[in-house]
Amino acid sequence: MSRPPRDFWLLLGGYAVSSYGNYLNLIALGLFSYQWTGSTWATGAIMAIRLGTGFVTGLVSGRLLLRVARRPLLIGLDLMQATAMVVLVLAPSLVVLLLVAVVLGAGNTTLVVALRSGIPDLVPPDGRTRANGRLVTARSMASVLGFGTAALVIEFGGYTAAFLLNAGSFVVSASALAFVMWPKSGQLPVSSSPRGSRSLWRYLPPLIAGMVVVRGVDALASAGHNVALPIYASLTAPDHPAAVSTQFWTAWAIGSMSAHQLVSRLVKRVDHRTFAIATCAMSVCFVLAFTGLPPYWLVVVCLLAGVADGVSEIGYLSTLQTGPEQERTRVFGLSASVENSAFAGGMVIAAGLLDVLPVLPVVGGLHGIAVTGVLVFLLLSRRRHGEHIDQSRSPAGADRG
């Protein structure tokens, strides 16, 4: 297989750097919001606005990316995000915090949709799975570095250093994007057929629609363990809850980074079944992580959850990328909206349930919904035996090298 072209590496590098800034920002902005407002309600509202903006952006970004050139749009959004962080440093206020949440939600969602849908245009067909694996690896490395350095940056440089570092990450991303040459013009005519003017759901292949739904249910379940982890860590290790959270997410991230190697060496075909089985395995592992395991077993289970998470995402991206550009760009926009809304809804549901129920039943119940959704999806996809998606790629083994 030929190496992915220069444009893919530039796009991936910019995404990795901006993702580091985003993960650093998740911690810094949350802490700063609470310190500035003194209100848990206001802090939650800022997070909700960020997720809500991501939901709305996902609905429109697919069509927007088909109407305008991608490079100036993405560069402009990166520079807007950098400017927003600088303004927050110079003139912090509740209004600025809300505007920052809107800009970050829109910019991050649009970049993710453009990157996921644009990979087939930037790499040869036999390199698609390998490119998706590198995308997952970059995201995982960014999360480890972002979460791992947030406390250090804030301690030694304060929120100013954290926000300026985040702004710098967007400038680096914009600089990399400035040299990306998209093989196809982003200014494609938008169909005037019902497919273009009515709900996209009605015209999606059932297999793809099912995968998007499963991805949404998985996001809902993932919100459960995200909300439950601080509570669980405080109950199991009251003297050092941060250590439990660090073990949990570091092991997950290392496993996610390993998924690319697993897929390229052991998985012969990456398709909707790979996605479904890995999603199910991930849910089982996350539930096991909240059963009071000893520290070393917790690390092992979270590592396996990370591997399954990475394999699931590679299978998801590789399958959705098989459609024509106009369709897949809108599908990835729809997917981003589903994931953002499901995650936000899951956080609300989990927070409410954790007020009246122990951690394990809440996490187990939400992930049980995800597993049930996966099993229904697999059953229905087997019944639709005649429906296949042309993967337009070689088996995963061809990606080695």
Side-chain angles (χ1 to χ4, degrees):
M1 185 202 77
S2 59
R3 292 176 62 84
R6 167 179 168 272
D7 294 311
F8 169 75
W9 286 109
L10 286 169
L11 189 60
L12 182 66
Y15 171 71
V17 174
S18 64
S19 293
Y20 163 75
N22 278 324
Y23 283 112
L24 169 66
N25 178 272
L26 280 175
I27 293 178
L29 189 63
L31 293 173
F32 179 80
S33 299
Y34 181 71
Q35 178 178 316
W36 181 262
T37 64
S39 167
T40 55
W41 180 90
T43 303
I46 291 170
M47 177 60 71
I49 289 173
R50 185 170 179 172
L51 290 171
T53 304
F55 167 74
V56 175
T57 302
L59 293 177
V60 301
S61 60
R63 295 180 65 84
L64 181 63
L65 288 166
L66 293 170
R67 290 175 180 267
V68 303
R70 295 190 179 200
R71 184 167 61 174
L73 173 64
L74 296 177
I75 291 173
L77 287 171
D78 269 342
L79 294 179
M80 282 180 59
Q81 292 178 90
T83 302
M85 299 313 301
V86 173
V87 171
L88 182 59
V89 170
L90 298 177
S93 68
L94 180 58
V95 173
V96 172
L97 277 171
L98 296 176
L99 290 176
V100 165
V102 171
V103 172
L104 292 179
N108 184 61
T109 300
T110 304
L111 176 60
V112 168
V113 172
L115 182 57
R116 288 178 170 183
S117 63
I119 281 179
D121 296 330
L122 297 175
V123 300
D126 64 342
R128 190 177 301 157
T129 299
R130 190 175 184 87
N132 288 326
R134 285 171 171 153
L135 179 64
V136 172
T137 300
R139 182 207 64 187
S140 301
M141 292 180 65
S143 68
V144 171
L145 293 175
F147 288 146
T149 61
L152 192 64
V153 171
I154 294 171
E155 180 179 353
F156 286 97
Y159 293 112
T160 296
F163 294 153
L164 291 179
L165 186 57
N166 189 200
S169 73
F170 291 127
V171 173
V172 171
S173 176
S175 300
L177 288 169
F179 294 96
V180 175
M181 301 297 295
W182 296 94
K184 297 181 180 180
S185 171
Q187 296 175 324
L188 294 177
V190 178
S191 173
S192 60
S193 66
R195 178 186 291 268
S197 60
R198 299 180 188 174
S199 172
L200 182 60
W201 282 108
R202 295 180 57 188
Y203 301 97
L204 280 180
L207 190 63
I208 297 298
M211 291 181 69
V212 173
V213 171
V214 170
R215 188 73 172 176
V217 176
D218 172 51
L220 183 144
S222 295
H225 66 250
N226 274 271
V227 175
L229 181 59
I231 301 172
Y232 177 77
S234 298
L235 292 174
T236 57
D239 295 331
H240 44 86
V244 176
S245 296
T246 300
Q247 288 176 343
F248 186 101
W249 289 120
T250 301
W252 167 84
I254 293 173
S256 183
M257 286 188 289
S258 305
H260 165 49
Q261 299 299 324
L262 175 66
V263 168
S264 64
R265 286 168 169 75
L266 299 180
V267 180
K268 294 183 178 180
R269 185 174 182 82
V270 177
D271 57 14
H272 65 283
R273 288 175 292 269
T274 308
F275 157 74
I277 294 170
T279 300
C280 189
M282 175 178 58
S283 285
V284 171
C285 289
F286 274 131
V287 174
L288 289 175
F290 288 86
T291 58
L293 297 172
Y296 50 88
W297 280 114
L298 175 65
V299 169
V300 170
V301 168
C302 291
L303 183 73
L304 293 175
V307 172
D309 193 1
V311 172
S312 171
E313 183 166 358
I314 293 171
Y316 184 70
L317 299 180
S318 298
T319 305
L320 265 63
Q321 287 165 356
T322 56
E325 180 181 6
Q326 189 166 358
E327 181 177 288
R328 72 169 180 266
T329 303
R330 294 188 62 197
V331 169
F332 276 115
L334 175 66
S335 175
S337 291
V338 170
E339 292 176 58
N340 277 309
S341 59
F343 190 80
M347 293 183 72
V348 173
I349 293 171
L353 292 175
L354 286 167
D355 279 340
V356 295
L357 294 174
V359 169
L360 182 58
V362 173
V363 175
L366 291 176
H367 276 288
I369 295 174
V371 171
T372 301
V374 170
L375 295 178
V376 171
F377 168 75
L378 284 173
L379 178 62
L380 294 178
S381 65
R382 284 181 62 87
R383 286 184 175 179
R384 300 185 65 88
H385 182 69
E387 180 183 348
H388 296 284
I389 293 181
D390 178 15
Q391 295 295 315
S392 301
R393 56 177 298 277
S394 302
D399 288 340
R400 300 176 194 171

